Amino acid sequence: MNEAIRPGPGQILQAGAPLQLSVVVPTFNERGNVATLVQRLDAALVGISWEVIFVDDNSPDGTADAVRELARADSRVRCIRRIGRRGLSGACIEGMLASSAPCAAVIDGDLQHDETQLAKMLGLIESGAAELVIGSRYIEGGSADSFNQQRLGASKFATAVAQRVLKVEIADPMSGFFMIRRDRFEQLAPRLSTQGFKILLDVVATAGGDLRVIEVPYTFGSRLHGESKLDSMVALDFLGLVLAKLTNDTVSLRFLLFALVGSIGLFVHFAVLFVTLEAFDLPFAEAQAIAALCAMTSNFLLNNFLTYRDQRLKGLGILRGLLIFYVVCSVGLLANVGVAWSVFDQEPIWWLAGAAGALMGVVWNYAMSGLFVWRKR
């Protein structure tokens, strides 16, 4: 390990030089790749003053410890360890906002991106030719041959949706390899989603064509160690991001997921109500209470797994959170009924009153759940 991180000529050259580039690396269980990536950056960025910021989502394999070991011998290496939250987009945002250089690059810790393109990307930004430079797999000279057919098909489908629905005019909006002027990123950061995995798509869609963009080709490599940060919810995250951008960020990705879970809860409520009335012949009041309890429970579990998975409750926190969620949703039900009754009294259209009440209920439950159940610690 010490041999791998011994200061080299590039490090000596950069002593006292103004920092030019911050490289942000989101990680989860990438301990085996950390030293290799730093070595590759050192070789690719000779003559450039740079730093690398590893943003680690509390990896159980000790990735943060490996980064700190490197940092003790190389002052260009930094570590941000995140506790109680996960997600590639949020990690990238935190890393870039913590950076010191006028340009910030995002590169995966799995060694699948081509770090030899970083110097070229930096040159394009420093020359003023671009404010955002994207490593693209889908322009001439680029390649994604390491993808299996399923992943390649999903990537191209998502690219087509982003291009047509969000009017994103770049070849590879799904790329996770890019560089941007930090001042331009900081202007966009307050409107970016910390959830999900498609940070570049979020940046481009949020900018609305107000960024000078250049794409450079690169070959997407094969993973050597660690595990992918993509999970089974990535498709839903992508859909939520697209919908959020279509509403001009009026509706957040998290709220959309919360509302989706609420819709599933409504189905659960009606299903349980039907079974308890028809199969068990319970009085309506008892059946309604059981159905509501089941729906609230399913909503809590799904929200904990999906909507708030970056703040997921565990252990005894689940029971405490569930009890608070019951209280929140009970008050939300009263708000629902109150608004619906008020609307119906003014305009006796049942579906309009019902929709108004339901909207009030979901807004209340979302706001109070974020405040009391899944509050950030």
Side-chain angles (χ1 to χ4, degrees):
M1 178 68 76
N2 290 335
E3 185 68 25
I5 60 178
R6 181 180 299 162
Q11 200 167 332
I12 295 171
L13 177 65
Q14 295 170 45
L19 197 61
Q20 295 171 267
L21 176 64
S22 296
V23 181
V24 176
V25 186
T27 58
F28 185 74
N29 287 346
E30 303 283 5
R31 183 185 181 95
N33 295 330
V34 168
T36 302
L37 179 57
V38 172
Q39 282 183 297
R40 291 188 179 185
L41 291 174
D42 190 53
L45 297 173
V46 172
I48 295 171
S49 180
W50 58 276
E51 66 174 354
V52 58
I53 304 170
F54 290 87
V55 186
D56 184 64
D57 285 356
N58 199 29
S59 300
D61 75 339
T63 298
D65 293 332
V67 174
R68 292 192 188 101
E69 184 177 350
L70 288 170
R72 283 194 290 270
D74 190 337
S75 61
R76 299 171 300 181
V77 180
R78 288 202 279 149
C79 177
I80 296 175
R81 181 184 175 199
R82 306 202 306 166
I83 303 294
R85 58 198 191 280
R86 283 188 61 179
L88 188 143
S89 290
C92 292
I93 292 170
E94 289 189 39
M96 284 190 277
L97 292 180
S99 65
S100 303
C103 296
V106 171
I107 187 170
D108 280 355
D110 54 18
L111 310 178
Q112 292 180 289
H113 293 156
D114 184 2
E115 72 287 339
T116 65
Q117 297 297 316
L118 288 171
K120 178 181 179 181
M121 297 163 80
L122 180 63
L124 289 169
I125 292 181
E126 289 186 332
S127 70
E131 296 171 309
L132 170 66
V133 182
I134 300 167
S136 178
R137 300 158 293 184
Y138 304 135
I139 61 175
E140 185 176 355
S143 171
D145 289 344
S146 62
F147 278 177
N148 58 38
Q149 289 301 310
Q150 181 179 3
R151 187 172 178 186
L152 180 62
S155 177
K156 289 191 172 181
F157 174 75
T159 296
V161 171
Q163 290 171 335
R164 293 175 186 176
V165 177
L166 298 181
K167 309 301 181 185
V168 172
E169 297 180 355
I170 56 177
D172 193 0
M174 300 297 109
S175 177
F177 179 36
F178 64 93
M179 186 183 298
I180 188 171
R181 270 178 39 184
R182 188 169 54 83
D183 60 339
R184 297 292 281 123
F185 178 79
E186 289 192 355
Q187 293 170 359
L188 300 170
R191 292 182 283 154
L192 300 178
S193 171
T194 58
Q195 286 188 286
F197 298 88
K198 299 308 175 186
I199 177 66
L200 175 62
L201 174 60
D202 197 0
V203 166
V204 174
T206 300
D210 192 31
L211 281 173
R212 294 193 303 278
V213 181
I214 293 178
E215 294 185 75
V216 297
Y218 84 101
T219 298
F220 191 81
S222 300
R223 168 177 284 275
L224 298 181
H225 305 286
E227 65 182 61
S228 174
K229 290 176 76 70
L230 302 181
D231 63 20
S232 59
M233 296 296 107
V234 66
L236 198 55
D237 274 335
F238 171 72
L239 178 60
L241 178 60
V242 170
L243 292 174
K245 294 306 169 184
L246 282 176
T247 63
N248 197 29
D249 295 312
T250 302
V251 181
S252 72
L253 170 58
R254 200 186 294 276
F255 179 78
L256 288 169
L257 293 175
F258 192 91
L260 175 63
V261 168
S263 299
I264 296 173
L266 186 62
F267 174 81
V268 171
H269 182 102
F270 285 140
V272 173
L273 183 61
F274 177 80
V275 170
T276 51
L277 287 173
E278 297 296 323
F280 296 96
D281 197 28
L282 292 179
F284 180 81
E286 293 180 23
Q288 176 74 352
I290 293 172
L293 190 65
C294 289
M296 286 190 287
T297 303
S298 71
N299 283 1
F300 172 82
L301 294 174
L302 285 173
N303 278 314
N304 195 50
F305 173 74
L306 174 62
T307 310
Y308 294 95
R309 70 184 184 280
D310 57 328
Q311 300 164 228
R312 189 174 296 165
L313 301 175
K314 297 179 181 179
L316 291 177
I318 294 180
L319 179 59
R320 175 181 176 277
L322 179 59
L323 294 176
I324 297 175
F325 190 74
Y326 285 155
V327 174
V328 165
C329 290
S330 297
V331 177
L333 180 61
L334 294 176
N336 181 333
V337 173
V339 169
W341 178 259
S342 177
V343 171
F344 190 79
D345 187 53
Q346 298 294 321
E347 190 69 42
I349 303 175
W350 68 268
W351 60 266
L352 179 62
L359 181 60
M360 182 63 217
V362 74
V363 169
W364 170 270
N365 290 342
Y366 173 71
M368 295 301 104
S369 293
L371 188 60
F372 294 109
V373 183
W374 289 281
R375 66 184 184 276
K376 290 188 177 181
R377 295 169 173 81

